[in-house]
Amino acid sequence: MVDTTPLTRAVDHFADRLRAAPQSRLQRGAAAEALALARELTRRAQALEEPGAEPREMPDAGMFAAADQITVAVHDLALVLSDEGQVDEAVRLVGEAQSRAGV
């Protein structure tokens, strides 16, 4: 079993920053960036779980749900990752998304 702690920690930090961000920051793109990350993490989890199946897209539940959406998505992904390289790649995606979100 692969250690996904670095990934869950990175997402927990990003989610905490989103929850603490003012509404204006969320509206200026932080929430959209988080949703894009959640959708990418979900897509990756689905591809590993059901190769070849048409991926389902995570719905937009609103800017105040963005932190919860990335948390759910990463926990789903963490269950199906099989090597450290996949974990490292996902941590990189989280870091880049958080940087673009500005939180």
Side-chain angles (χ1 to χ4, degrees), residues 17-65:
R17 300 291 301 184
L18 288 167
R19 289 182 185 108
Q23 182 174 349
S24 61
R25 173 78 46 120
L26 295 174
Q27 289 172 323
R28 284 193 309 262
E33 191 61 51
L35 177 60
L37 174 65
R39 286 177 171 168
E40 176 60 20
L41 296 175
T42 299
R43 186 195 62 75
R44 287 173 183 238
Q46 290 176 25
L48 291 169
E49 283 184 312
E50 302 172 15
E54 183 69 29
R56 298 167 304 279
E57 184 172 281
M58 181 175 280
D60 184 346
M63 71 178 139
F64 298 114

Side-chain angles (χ1 to χ4, degrees), residues 1-36:
M1 185 160 177
V2 66
D3 180 15
T4 59
T5 304
L7 176 57
T8 55
R9 282 186 183 157
V11 165
D12 287 345
H13 181 259
F14 187 11
D16 288 344
R17 300 291 301 184
L18 288 167
R19 289 182 185 108
Q23 182 174 349
S24 61
R25 173 78 46 120
L26 295 174
Q27 289 172 323
R28 284 193 309 262
E33 191 61 51
L35 177 60

